[in-house]
Amino acid sequence: MARMKVVVTGAAGRVASQLLPAFRERYDLVLLDTRDRNRDGAPVEGVTITDLREADRETYRRFFSGADAVVHLAFNYKRGHSMNDGDYYSERSNLDLAFHVYQTALEEDVPRVVIASSNHAADWYEHLLRQRKMEMLDVTAPPLSDNYYGWAKACYEHLGFLFATRRKGRALEVVQVRIGAPRSIPADNAANDLTGYKRNLGAYISPRDLQQLFVKSIETPDITNEHGIPFQIFYGVSNNARAFWSIANARKVIGYAPQDDSEVVFADDIRRVLVEQESGGRL
């Protein structure tokens, strides 16, 4: 079977560093970024430097030609700033970036685009979850955020839905992955913020689960929803005992079967921090 051609934007970024080992084994890759070194300064093999924010899409159209899928991870961020430091204008540039990816993929007959959205697209609900006024959040809830970063991610999703509805002539297949916490969950400050620590344990996604989720989002033949539109939103978390985002639809639509659980991965830290801190030793 011929290998799929997959374009990866933001190929020198943190999420890409976890995906590329699996991608390099499975696909013929076109790796795009505005730099060819990762955040630690190490070179990333095979990256072509290009800026997809450019309004003249002829400068990068050729990279999309003949591709089977685009995995859009690119993101314009302010180095040294946190998520909450974003503003309307900087985040609007990320919407332009997403539009250029959607539109170029559509014009170049790329069947599918898989987008790195974020849990922050609906992070307004987290205060309800932390207060136990909600027990679980799924993708049917309207995306609501209280910061510009999350607002932009929600706009990515709505824009992707537009491209999936055939209003542009053909349906672009679109998957949005609301990535949780693709990193180690340190327990250093857990004693001072147990609620935040538990939240991060629920949001954790391991590298191999992240890889599986994206590979299945790329390769599953039929991603149409109940209305016949090829559009899906999946939460990107592992099989965590403390999960508060539902992955039921990812299990059903693409057969996502996460292998890891933060409760096991970080068991020693959990035992040390939570059992010592909480009365009665209850987790």
Side-chain angles (χ1 to χ4, degrees), residues 228-266:
I229 298 172
F231 179 84
Q232 295 289 339
I233 300 172
F234 303 133
Y235 272 109
V237 298
S238 286
N239 190 35
N240 302 323
R242 299 176 187 271
F244 51 90
W245 295 317
S246 174
I247 56 174
N249 67 323
R251 294 182 187 275
K252 178 180 179 180
V253 176
I254 62 172
Y256 178 48
Q259 297 176 274
D260 293 309
D261 181 348
S262 60
E263 206 77 4
V264 176
V265 176
F266 305 108

mmCIF file of all heavy atoms in Angstrom, residues 228-266:
data_model
loop_
_atom_site.group_PDB
_atom_site.id
_atom_site.type_symbol
_atom_site.label_atom_id
_atom_site.label_comp_id
_atom_site.label_asym_id
_atom_site.label_seq_id
_atom_site.Cartn_x
_atom_site.Cartn_y
_atom_site.Cartn_z
ATOM 1 N N GLY A 228 -24.395 14.123 8.432
ATOM 2 C CA GLY A 228 -23.766 13.854 7.148
ATOM 3 C C GLY A 228 -22.630 14.801 6.803
ATOM 4 O O GLY A 228 -22.184 14.835 5.647
ATOM 5 N N ILE A 229 -22.162 15.557 7.757
ATOM 6 C CA ILE A 229 -21.072 16.512 7.525
ATOM 7 C C ILE A 229 -19.763 15.904 8.018
ATOM 8 O O ILE A 229 -19.695 15.420 9.158
ATOM 9 C CB ILE A 229 -21.357 17.843 8.243
ATOM 10 C CG1 ILE A 229 -22.635 18.469 7.690
ATOM 11 C CG2 ILE A 229 -20.181 18.813 8.096
ATOM 12 C CD1 ILE A 229 -23.108 19.684 8.457
ATOM 13 N N PRO A 230 -18.705 15.929 7.204
ATOM 14 C CA PRO A 230 -17.427 15.330 7.613
ATOM 15 C C PRO A 230 -16.660 16.242 8.562
ATOM 16 O O PRO A 230 -15.638 16.838 8.219
ATOM 17 C CB PRO A 230 -16.696 15.141 6.287
ATOM 18 C CG PRO A 230 -17.193 16.253 5.430
ATOM 19 C CD PRO A 230 -18.642 16.431 5.814
ATOM 20 N N PHE A 231 -17.166 16.328 9.776
ATOM 21 C CA PHE A 231 -16.597 17.237 10.769
ATOM 22 C C PHE A 231 -16.706 16.608 12.147
ATOM 23 O O PHE A 231 -17.785 16.130 12.538
ATOM 24 C CB PHE A 231 -17.369 18.561 10.761
ATOM 25 C CG PHE A 231 -16.878 19.561 11.779
ATOM 26 C CD1 PHE A 231 -15.807 20.392 11.492
ATOM 27 C CD2 PHE A 231 -17.502 19.684 13.012
ATOM 28 C CE1 PHE A 231 -15.346 21.308 12.434
ATOM 29 C CE2 PHE A 231 -17.056 20.603 13.951
ATOM 30 C CZ PHE A 231 -15.975 21.415 13.658
ATOM 31 N N GLN A 232 -15.583 16.588 12.861
ATOM 32 C CA GLN A 232 -15.567 16.024 14.207
ATOM 33 C C GLN A 232 -14.689 16.869 15.118
ATOM 34 O O GLN A 232 -13.691 17.463 14.675
ATOM 35 C CB GLN A 232 -15.011 14.590 14.197
ATOM 36 C CG GLN A 232 -15.855 13.588 13.442
ATOM 37 C CD GLN A 232 -17.162 13.248 14.140
ATOM 38 O OE1 GLN A 232 -17.303 13.434 15.346
ATOM 39 N NE2 GLN A 232 -18.126 12.732 13.373
ATOM 40 N N ILE A 233 -15.065 16.905 16.393
ATOM 41 C CA ILE A 233 -14.236 17.492 17.438
ATOM 42 C C ILE A 233 -13.983 16.399 18.471
ATOM 43 O O ILE A 233 -14.922 15.759 18.947
ATOM 44 C CB ILE A 233 -14.926 18.685 18.126
ATOM 45 C CG1 ILE A 233 -15.228 19.790 17.112
ATOM 46 C CG2 ILE A 233 -14.057 19.234 19.261
ATOM 47 C CD1 ILE A 233 -16.074 20.924 17.685
ATOM 48 N N PHE A 234 -12.704 16.162 18.800
ATOM 49 C CA PHE A 234 -12.345 15.167 19.796
ATOM 50 C C PHE A 234 -11.528 15.828 20.900
ATOM 51 O O PHE A 234 -10.664 16.670 20.624
ATOM 52 C CB PHE A 234 -11.500 14.042 19.179
ATOM 53 C CG PHE A 234 -12.149 13.329 18.027
ATOM 54 C CD1 PHE A 234 -11.433 13.089 16.864
ATOM 55 C CD2 PHE A 234 -13.460 12.882 18.097
ATOM 56 C CE1 PHE A 234 -12.000 12.417 15.797
ATOM 57 C CE2 PHE A 234 -14.055 12.218 17.025
ATOM 58 C CZ PHE A 234 -13.325 11.982 15.874
ATOM 59 N N TYR A 235 -11.785 15.422 22.126
ATOM 60 C CA TYR A 235 -10.901 15.827 23.214
ATOM 61 C C TYR A 235 -9.666 14.933 23.211
ATOM 62 O O TYR A 235 -9.774 13.710 23.067
ATOM 63 C CB TYR A 235 -11.618 15.761 24.561
ATOM 64 C CG TYR A 235 -12.350 17.035 24.893
ATOM 65 C CD1 TYR A 235 -13.749 17.091 24.870
ATOM 66 C CD2 TYR A 235 -11.653 18.194 25.204
ATOM 67 C CE1 TYR A 235 -14.418 18.273 25.158
ATOM 68 C CE2 TYR A 235 -12.319 19.376 25.487
ATOM 69 C CZ TYR A 235 -13.691 19.416 25.463
ATOM 70 O OH TYR A 235 -14.344 20.598 25.735
ATOM 71 N N GLY A 236 -8.518 15.555 23.381
ATOM 72 C CA GLY A 236 -7.259 14.832 23.356
ATOM 73 C C GLY A 236 -6.733 14.560 24.747
ATOM 74 O O GLY A 236 -5.899 15.322 25.257
ATOM 75 N N VAL A 237 -7.242 13.489 25.372
ATOM 76 C CA VAL A 237 -6.771 13.068 26.685
ATOM 77 C C VAL A 237 -6.574 11.553 26.664
ATOM 78 O O VAL A 237 -7.132 10.851 25.822
ATOM 79 C CB VAL A 237 -7.744 13.456 27.821
ATOM 80 C CG1 VAL A 237 -7.888 14.962 27.907
ATOM 81 C CG2 VAL A 237 -9.106 12.811 27.637
ATOM 82 N N SER A 238 -5.774 11.085 27.600
ATOM 83 C CA SER A 238 -5.586 9.648 27.760
ATOM 84 C C SER A 238 -6.772 9.043 28.516
ATOM 85 O O SER A 238 -7.754 9.725 28.821
ATOM 86 C CB SER A 238 -4.271 9.373 28.489
ATOM 87 O OG SER A 238 -3.151 9.605 27.646
ATOM 88 N N ASN A 239 -6.659 7.763 28.828
ATOM 89 C CA ASN A 239 -7.734 7.039 29.510
ATOM 90 C C ASN A 239 -7.634 7.293 31.018
ATOM 91 O O ASN A 239 -7.432 6.379 31.816
ATOM 92 C CB ASN A 239 -7.622 5.544 29.202
ATOM 93 C CG ASN A 239 -8.835 4.759 29.662
ATOM 94 O OD1 ASN A 239 -9.958 5.255 29.617
ATOM 95 N ND2 ASN A 239 -8.602 3.540 30.115
ATOM 96 N N ASN A 240 -7.787 8.541 31.401
ATOM 97 C CA ASN A 240 -7.499 8.966 32.770
ATOM 98 C C ASN A 240 -8.659 8.707 33.718
ATOM 99 O O ASN A 240 -9.811 9.035 33.411
ATOM 100 C CB ASN A 240 -7.165 10.457 32.793
ATOM 101 C CG ASN A 240 -5.989 10.797 31.899
ATOM 102 O OD1 ASN A 240 -5.040 10.039 31.794
ATOM 103 N ND2 ASN A 240 -6.056 11.944 31.241
ATOM 104 N N ALA A 241 -8.343 8.177 34.889
ATOM 105 C CA ALA A 241 -9.366 7.962 35.899
ATOM 106 C C ALA A 241 -10.014 9.277 36.319
ATOM 107 O O ALA A 241 -11.183 9.315 36.691
ATOM 108 C CB ALA A 241 -8.761 7.263 37.113
ATOM 109 N N ARG A 242 -9.249 10.371 36.252
ATOM 110 C CA ARG A 242 -9.749 11.681 36.671
ATOM 111 C C ARG A 242 -10.247 12.529 35.492
ATOM 112 O O ARG A 242 -10.410 13.737 35.631
ATOM 113 C CB ARG A 242 -8.660 12.438 37.425
ATOM 114 C CG ARG A 242 -8.203 11.744 38.690
ATOM 115 C CD ARG A 242 -7.057 12.493 39.361
ATOM 116 N NE ARG A 242 -6.528 11.726 40.463
ATOM 117 C CZ ARG A 242 -6.974 11.782 41.715
ATOM 118 N NH1 ARG A 242 -7.958 12.609 42.017
ATOM 119 N NH2 ARG A 242 -6.437 11.036 42.660
ATOM 120 N N ALA A 243 -10.482 11.909 34.358
ATOM 121 C CA ALA A 243 -10.908 12.663 33.176
ATOM 122 C C ALA A 243 -12.223 13.389 33.427
ATOM 123 O O ALA A 243 -13.132 12.857 34.069
ATOM 124 C CB ALA A 243 -11.049 11.736 31.983
ATOM 125 N N PHE A 244 -12.327 14.608 32.920
ATOM 126 C CA PHE A 244 -13.568 15.382 33.011
ATOM 127 C C PHE A 244 -14.010 15.863 31.640
ATOM 128 O O PHE A 244 -14.971 16.605 31.523
ATOM 129 C CB PHE A 244 -13.402 16.567 33.967
ATOM 130 C CG PHE A 244 -12.197 17.415 33.678
ATOM 131 C CD1 PHE A 244 -12.272 18.491 32.831
ATOM 132 C CD2 PHE A 244 -10.979 17.109 34.262
ATOM 133 C CE1 PHE A 244 -11.162 19.268 32.555
ATOM 134 C CE2 PHE A 244 -9.848 17.878 34.003
ATOM 135 C CZ PHE A 244 -9.941 18.961 33.141
ATOM 136 N N TRP A 245 -13.285 15.470 30.590
ATOM 137 C CA TRP A 245 -13.704 15.689 29.209
ATOM 138 C C TRP A 245 -14.021 14.334 28.608
ATOM 139 O O TRP A 245 -13.254 13.374 28.738
ATOM 140 C CB TRP A 245 -12.596 16.346 28.388
ATOM 141 C CG TRP A 245 -12.225 17.719 28.823
ATOM 142 C CD1 TRP A 245 -13.059 18.735 29.188
ATOM 143 C CD2 TRP A 245 -10.897 18.240 28.929
ATOM 144 N NE1 TRP A 245 -12.348 19.854 29.510
ATOM 145 C CE2 TRP A 245 -11.005 19.585 29.359
ATOM 146 C CE3 TRP A 245 -9.629 17.724 28.697
ATOM 147 C CZ2 TRP A 245 -9.916 20.408 29.567
ATOM 148 C CZ3 TRP A 245 -8.528 18.530 28.898
ATOM 149 C CH2 TRP A 245 -8.679 19.860 29.327
ATOM 150 N N SER A 246 -15.127 14.230 27.927
ATOM 151 C CA SER A 246 -15.550 12.962 27.354
ATOM 152 C C SER A 246 -14.815 12.660 26.049
ATOM 153 O O SER A 246 -14.679 13.534 25.185
ATOM 154 C CB SER A 246 -17.056 12.984 27.089
ATOM 155 O OG SER A 246 -17.461 11.808 26.416
ATOM 156 N N ILE A 247 -14.364 11.427 25.920
ATOM 157 C CA ILE A 247 -13.776 10.964 24.656
ATOM 158 C C ILE A 247 -14.653 9.884 24.023
ATOM 159 O O ILE A 247 -14.198 9.132 23.166
ATOM 160 C CB ILE A 247 -12.331 10.452 24.841
ATOM 161 C CG1 ILE A 247 -12.273 9.335 25.897
ATOM 162 C CG2 ILE A 247 -11.408 11.605 25.224
ATOM 163 C CD1 ILE A 247 -10.895 8.687 26.012
ATOM 164 N N ALA A 248 -15.914 9.830 24.453
ATOM 165 C CA ALA A 248 -16.818 8.798 23.948
ATOM 166 C C ALA A 248 -16.965 8.871 22.434
ATOM 167 O O ALA A 248 -17.006 7.835 21.750
ATOM 168 C CB ALA A 248 -18.190 8.916 24.619
ATOM 169 N N ASN A 249 -17.057 10.085 21.879
ATOM 170 C CA ASN A 249 -17.237 10.186 20.431
ATOM 171 C C ASN A 249 -15.985 9.777 19.671
ATOM 172 O O ASN A 249 -16.063 9.195 18.588
ATOM 173 C CB ASN A 249 -17.693 11.590 20.028
ATOM 174 C CG ASN A 249 -16.643 12.647 20.261
ATOM 175 O OD1 ASN A 249 -15.897 12.601 21.250
ATOM 176 N ND2 ASN A 249 -16.583 13.635 19.377
ATOM 177 N N ALA A 250 -14.799 10.039 20.233
ATOM 178 C CA ALA A 250 -13.564 9.606 19.576
ATOM 179 C C ALA A 250 -13.457 8.083 19.584
ATOM 180 O O ALA A 250 -12.991 7.473 18.609
ATOM 181 C CB ALA A 250 -12.354 10.229 20.264
ATOM 182 N N ARG A 251 -13.885 7.472 20.676
ATOM 183 C CA ARG A 251 -13.906 6.006 20.724
ATOM 184 C C ARG A 251 -14.840 5.450 19.643
ATOM 185 O O ARG A 251 -14.509 4.482 18.949
ATOM 186 C CB ARG A 251 -14.375 5.529 22.098
ATOM 187 C CG ARG A 251 -13.439 5.845 23.258
ATOM 188 C CD ARG A 251 -14.009 5.263 24.547
ATOM 189 N NE ARG A 251 -13.271 5.658 25.734
ATOM 190 C CZ ARG A 251 -12.186 5.048 26.208
ATOM 191 N NH1 ARG A 251 -11.703 3.999 25.551
ATOM 192 N NH2 ARG A 251 -11.599 5.456 27.320
ATOM 193 N N LYS A 252 -15.993 6.073 19.483
ATOM 194 C CA LYS A 252 -17.006 5.566 18.561
ATOM 195 C C LYS A 252 -16.652 5.832 17.100
ATOM 196 O O LYS A 252 -16.756 4.932 16.255
ATOM 197 C CB LYS A 252 -18.359 6.207 18.887
ATOM 198 C CG LYS A 252 -19.484 5.792 17.957
ATOM 199 C CD LYS A 252 -20.800 6.470 18.346
ATOM 200 C CE LYS A 252 -21.919 6.079 17.402
ATOM 201 N NZ LYS A 252 -23.204 6.738 17.769
ATOM 202 N N VAL A 253 -16.230 7.053 16.788
ATOM 203 C CA VAL A 253 -16.066 7.451 15.383
ATOM 204 C C VAL A 253 -14.770 6.921 14.785
ATOM 205 O O VAL A 253 -14.758 6.429 13.651
ATOM 206 C CB VAL A 253 -16.123 8.990 15.251
ATOM 207 C CG1 VAL A 253 -15.845 9.423 13.815
ATOM 208 C CG2 VAL A 253 -17.483 9.506 15.710
ATOM 209 N N ILE A 254 -13.665 7.022 15.521
ATOM 210 C CA ILE A 254 -12.378 6.628 14.940
ATOM 211 C C ILE A 254 -11.727 5.453 15.669
ATOM 212 O O ILE A 254 -10.617 5.053 15.321
ATOM 213 C CB ILE A 254 -11.389 7.813 14.890
ATOM 214 C CG1 ILE A 254 -11.081 8.331 16.308
ATOM 215 C CG2 ILE A 254 -11.933 8.924 13.988
ATOM 216 C CD1 ILE A 254 -9.952 9.375 16.326
ATOM 217 N N GLY A 255 -12.412 4.917 16.679
ATOM 218 C CA GLY A 255 -11.846 3.780 17.394
ATOM 219 C C GLY A 255 -10.683 4.127 18.290
ATOM 220 O O GLY A 255 -9.809 3.286 18.555
ATOM 221 N N TYR A 256 -10.662 5.355 18.791
ATOM 222 C CA TYR A 256 -9.594 5.768 19.702
ATOM 223 C C TYR A 256 -9.637 4.899 20.953
ATOM 224 O O TYR A 256 -10.685 4.765 21.598
ATOM 225 C CB TYR A 256 -9.781 7.244 20.061
ATOM 226 C CG TYR A 256 -8.774 7.806 21.040
ATOM 227 C CD1 TYR A 256 -7.406 7.599 20.883
ATOM 228 C CD2 TYR A 256 -9.207 8.595 22.116
ATOM 229 C CE1 TYR A 256 -6.490 8.140 21.773
ATOM 230 C CE2 TYR A 256 -8.302 9.152 23.002
ATOM 231 C CZ TYR A 256 -6.942 8.923 22.832
ATOM 232 O OH TYR A 256 -6.047 9.464 23.723
ATOM 233 N N ALA A 257 -8.499 4.289 21.295
ATOM 234 C CA ALA A 257 -8.404 3.396 22.457
ATOM 235 C C ALA A 257 -7.144 3.747 23.236
ATOM 236 O O ALA A 257 -6.118 3.060 23.124
ATOM 237 C CB ALA A 257 -8.382 1.941 22.007
ATOM 238 N N PRO A 258 -7.181 4.829 24.003
ATOM 239 C CA PRO A 258 -5.983 5.261 24.719
ATOM 240 C C PRO A 258 -5.474 4.194 25.676
ATOM 241 O O PRO A 258 -6.249 3.486 26.321
ATOM 242 C CB PRO A 258 -6.450 6.515 25.465
ATOM 243 C CG PRO A 258 -7.944 6.393 25.554
ATOM 244 C CD PRO A 258 -8.359 5.668 24.315
ATOM 245 N N GLN A 259 -4.158 4.104 25.779
ATOM 246 C CA GLN A 259 -3.524 3.043 26.551
ATOM 247 C C GLN A 259 -3.057 3.487 27.931
ATOM 248 O O GLN A 259 -2.782 2.646 28.787
ATOM 249 C CB GLN A 259 -2.323 2.499 25.762
ATOM 250 C CG GLN A 259 -2.702 1.854 24.445
ATOM 251 C CD GLN A 259 -1.478 1.410 23.665
ATOM 252 O OE1 GLN A 259 -0.869 2.175 22.927
ATOM 253 N NE2 GLN A 259 -1.109 0.159 23.841
ATOM 254 N N ASP A 260 -2.942 4.779 28.128
ATOM 255 C CA ASP A 260 -2.334 5.267 29.360
ATOM 256 C C ASP A 260 -3.346 5.951 30.263
ATOM 257 O O ASP A 260 -4.394 6.415 29.817
ATOM 258 C CB ASP A 260 -1.178 6.210 29.036
ATOM 259 C CG ASP A 260 -0.018 5.481 28.383
ATOM 260 O OD1 ASP A 260 0.422 4.460 28.940
ATOM 261 O OD2 ASP A 260 0.434 5.917 27.300
ATOM 262 N N ASP A 261 -3.014 6.010 31.530
ATOM 263 C CA ASP A 261 -3.834 6.636 32.558
ATOM 264 C C ASP A 261 -2.888 7.389 33.474
ATOM 265 O O ASP A 261 -1.945 6.807 34.023
ATOM 266 C CB ASP A 261 -4.610 5.560 33.328
ATOM 267 C CG ASP A 261 -5.521 6.114 34.417
ATOM 268 O OD1 ASP A 261 -5.407 7.300 34.755
ATOM 269 O OD2 ASP A 261 -6.340 5.332 34.939
ATOM 270 N N SER A 262 -3.113 8.672 33.653
ATOM 271 C CA SER A 262 -2.236 9.472 34.507
ATOM 272 C C SER A 262 -2.172 8.921 35.924
ATOM 273 O O SER A 262 -1.163 9.083 36.624
ATOM 274 C CB SER A 262 -2.712 10.926 34.539
ATOM 275 O OG SER A 262 -4.039 11.015 35.046
ATOM 276 N N GLU A 263 -3.218 8.233 36.345
ATOM 277 C CA GLU A 263 -3.252 7.661 37.694
ATOM 278 C C GLU A 263 -2.162 6.602 37.866
ATOM 279 O O GLU A 263 -1.639 6.404 38.959
ATOM 280 C CB GLU A 263 -4.620 7.046 37.967
ATOM 281 C CG GLU A 263 -4.997 6.991 39.419
ATOM 282 C CD GLU A 263 -5.452 8.347 39.942
ATOM 283 O OE1 GLU A 263 -5.542 9.305 39.155
ATOM 284 O OE2 GLU A 263 -5.731 8.437 41.142
ATOM 285 N N VAL A 264 -1.817 5.943 36.764
ATOM 286 C CA VAL A 264 -0.763 4.928 36.777
ATOM 287 C C VAL A 264 0.591 5.559 36.468
ATOM 288 O O VAL A 264 1.590 5.293 37.144
ATOM 289 C CB VAL A 264 -1.087 3.813 35.765
ATOM 290 C CG1 VAL A 264 0.051 2.796 35.690
ATOM 291 C CG2 VAL A 264 -2.396 3.124 36.127
ATOM 292 N N VAL A 265 0.612 6.408 35.443
ATOM 293 C CA VAL A 265 1.877 7.023 35.022
ATOM 294 C C VAL A 265 2.520 7.813 36.154
ATOM 295 O O VAL A 265 3.737 7.758 36.364
ATOM 296 C CB VAL A 265 1.635 7.935 33.798
ATOM 297 C CG1 VAL A 265 2.913 8.674 33.406
ATOM 298 C CG2 VAL A 265 1.113 7.121 32.618
ATOM 299 N N PHE A 266 1.700 8.532 36.907
ATOM 300 C CA PHE A 266 2.212 9.388 37.977
ATOM 301 C C PHE A 266 1.826 8.863 39.362
ATOM 302 O O PHE A 266 1.651 9.619 40.312
ATOM 303 C CB PHE A 266 1.695 10.822 37.787
ATOM 304 C CG PHE A 266 2.006 11.389 36.435
ATOM 305 C CD1 PHE A 266 1.001 11.573 35.496
ATOM 306 C CD2 PHE A 266 3.307 11.716 36.079
ATOM 307 C CE1 PHE A 266 1.278 12.080 34.235
ATOM 308 C CE2 PHE A 266 3.598 12.218 34.826
ATOM 309 C CZ PHE A 266 2.590 12.410 33.896
#
